[in-house]
């Protein structure tokens, strides 16, 4: 619907939205340097996601010689739909079995201060005085309606698990055990088959060095758009089985990947370091000049990566020496 211009839509930095909840609750403006020279900046897109969205909600302003963005609040917040674990008869909401508290209380405060209505879904209602007040995250004064679920299957902790006590800190889950029975389900069968196809296609005709080079190029390109942690979780589970087929040392592979990952902090358009630098340099220095300035450092990292591939002892030599 957004792509087809059927609705108006905005996209703002997550941290700014969190502050907006607090500021709406306190009836104060939201002013921040977060978002400068990015999609949220009115000189770029102003957070607008399509051509149907014409109203400006982000304003460029200057304070003490520094540029800031003022994020305008919605005219009204009508509803908040939140979740908790238990509610007592006075509407106090506890969250002892929730994986994240997020901005639940801030959202409730913002909606109530805007004259809106707060709904909270939870597992069940308990008697007044039975909740541990230290676990109450949303006071009953901020809640209009509590909605107990008729079936706990409709109150899953995550999209994949009904309940995992490790997520809410009640215990520490054992990740590996020699007594674990590996359950072969449909998901695992499909994943194994997909991995086999990837090994066959990637390994045919390119050889060991070719597969490593392809992996490094993919990591480098992904680094332009994705945070390093996301790249690791996406790339390594796919490529580790492939490299195992070629007999590649996992320690060496992780080390080389860590080197090339350093480029993700500097490669435009989403290199974090670029925006950090922009925040401290004089206003006369443009973001394009910063882009050009990091090119030599990117080249250096690429050269170091090639050296690590050509001379594996640069990566595994010291760990091997230390481990004896």
């Amino acid at each position: 619907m957004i792509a087809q211009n059927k609705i108006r839509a905005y996209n703002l930095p997550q941290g700014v939205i969190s502050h907006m909840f607090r500021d709406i609750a306190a009836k104060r403006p939201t002013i921040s340097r977060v978002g400068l020279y990015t999609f949220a900046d009115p000189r770029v897109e102003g957070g607008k996601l399509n051509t149907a969205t014409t109203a400006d909600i982000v304003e460029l302003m200057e304070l003490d010689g520094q540029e800031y963005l003022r994020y305008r609040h919605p005219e009204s917040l009508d509803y908040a739909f939140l979740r908790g674990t238990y509610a007592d008869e006075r509407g106090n909401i506890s969250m002892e079995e929730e994986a994240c508290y997020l901005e639940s209380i801030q959202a409730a405060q913002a909606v109530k201060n805007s004259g809106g209505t707060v709904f909270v879904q939870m597992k069940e209602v308990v008697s007044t005085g039975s909740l541990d007040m230290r676990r109450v995250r949303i006071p009953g004064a901020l809640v209009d309606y509590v909605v107990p679920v008729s079936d706990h299957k409709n109150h899953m902790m995550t999209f994949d698990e009904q309940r995992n006590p490790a997520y809410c800190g009640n215990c520490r889950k054992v990740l590996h055990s020699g007594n674990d029975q590996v359950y072969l389900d449909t998901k695992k069968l499909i994943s194994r088959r997909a991995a086999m196809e990837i090994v066959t296609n990637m390994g045919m005709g390119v050889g060991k060095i070719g597969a490593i080079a392809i992996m490094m190029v993919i990591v480098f390109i992904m680094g332009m758009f994705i945070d390093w942690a996301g790249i690791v979780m996406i790339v390594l589970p796919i490529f580790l089985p492939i490299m195992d087929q070629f007999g590649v040392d996992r320690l060496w592979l992780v080390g080389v990947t860590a080197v090339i990952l350093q480029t993700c902090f500097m490669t435009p358009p989403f290199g974090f370091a670029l925006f950090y630098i922009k925040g401290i340099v004089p206003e006369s220095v443009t973001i394009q000049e910063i882009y050009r300035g990091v090119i030599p450092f990117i080249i250096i990292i690429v050269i170091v990566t090639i050296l690590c591939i050509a001379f594996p002892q640069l990566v595994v030599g010291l760990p091997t020496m230390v481990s004896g």
Side-chain angles (χ1 to χ4, degrees):
M1 294 179 69
I2 296 175
Q4 296 171 356
N5 285 323
K6 292 184 177 180
I7 60 173
R8 292 174 295 173
Y10 297 89
N11 181 32
L12 301 178
Q14 182 178 355
V16 169
I17 295 175
S18 298
H19 280 285
M20 288 177 72
F21 283 137
R22 297 178 175 90
D23 294 336
I24 292 172
K27 292 190 179 297
R28 64 192 177 200
T30 301
I31 300 174
S32 174
R33 288 180 58 82
V34 174
L36 284 170
Y37 308 105
T38 70
F39 61 91
D41 195 312
R43 294 168 294 188
V44 184
E45 296 174 350
K48 302 169 187 174
L49 290 180
N50 55 25
T51 55
T53 308
T54 57
D56 294 323
I57 65 169
V58 186
E59 174 188 349
L60 181 66
M61 59 185 302
E62 185 174 311
L63 293 173
D64 296 330
Q66 294 284 329
E67 289 185 341
Y68 288 84
L69 296 180
R70 178 185 178 185
Y71 294 87
R72 297 191 176 276
H73 300 156
E75 294 181 0
S76 65
L77 296 179
D78 299 320
Y79 302 100
F81 297 95
L82 308 173
R83 63 172 281 160
T85 304
Y86 299 104
D88 67 12
E89 296 169 308
R90 294 183 178 177
N92 296 304
I93 308 298
S94 68
M95 295 187 175
E96 60 265 42
E97 294 182 10
E98 302 304 310
C100 300
Y101 303 144
L102 302 178
E103 293 83 26
S104 296
I105 187 169
Q106 290 82 6
Q109 291 171 329
V111 171
K112 289 296 289 184
N113 210 11
S114 301
T117 305
V118 177
F119 296 83
V120 182
Q121 173 184 301
M122 71 297 165
K123 294 174 66 174
E124 57 185 277
V125 178
V126 298
S127 61
T128 300
S130 61
L131 288 179
D132 185 345
M133 286 295 104
R134 293 172 297 180
R135 295 187 175 183
V136 171
R137 295 292 171 176
I138 306 178
L142 299 177
V143 179
D144 293 293
Y145 296 96
V146 295
V147 185
V149 293
S150 57
D151 187 340
H152 287 184
K153 291 181 180 179
N154 297 324
H155 197 75
M156 296 177 66
M157 182 173 283
T158 69
F159 288 111
D160 194 49
E161 292 187 74
Q162 182 66 43
R163 181 175 182 272
N164 189 331
Y167 291 161
C168 49
N170 292 337
C171 67
R172 181 176 296 175
K173 187 175 181 180
V174 178
L175 299 179
H176 302 286
S177 172
N179 298 323
D180 285 347
Q181 294 291 328
V182 179
Y183 180 66
L184 191 63
D185 56 5
T186 305
K187 183 185 293 186
K188 184 167 292 185
L189 283 172
I190 295 173
S191 300
R192 285 185 176 182
R193 180 59 181 166
M196 290 172 63
E197 290 298 324
I198 293 174
V199 171
T200 301
N201 295 336
M202 291 291 292
M204 185 177 296
V206 298
K208 175 180 176 180
I209 299 299
I212 294 171
I214 290 173
M215 176 182 172
M216 295 299 111
V217 170
I218 291 175
V219 171
F220 179 80
I221 294 174
M222 291 179 69
M224 299 179 182
F225 308 99
I226 305 176
D227 179 56
W228 69 269
I231 298 174
V232 169
M233 290 189 289
I234 294 172
V235 172
L236 287 185
I238 295 175
F239 277 94
L240 279 179
I242 299 173
M243 297 305 165
D244 287 342
Q245 292 286 329
F246 286 115
V248 175
D249 188 323
R250 285 194 170 192
L251 175 62
W252 174 83
L253 179 66
V254 171
V256 174
T257 304
V259 173
I260 196 68
L261 276 174
Q262 301 307 307
T263 61
C264 74
F265 296 99
M266 296 184 288
T267 47
F270 297 117
F272 297 120
L274 304 177
F275 299 105
Y276 299 155
I277 294 172
K278 180 58 182 175
I280 62 175
V281 297
E283 296 293 335
S284 58
V285 179
T286 65
I287 192 69
Q288 289 75 20
E289 290 174 319
I290 295 175
Y291 286 167
R292 293 192 293 268
V294 300
I295 291 176
F297 297 96
I298 296 175
I299 294 174
I300 291 173
I301 294 175
V302 172
I303 293 174
V304 172
T305 303
I306 295 173
L307 290 174
C308 290
I309 295 175
F311 304 99
Q313 286 300 313
L314 292 175
V315 179
V316 301
L318 182 59
T320 303
M321 186 185 304
V322 172
S323 63

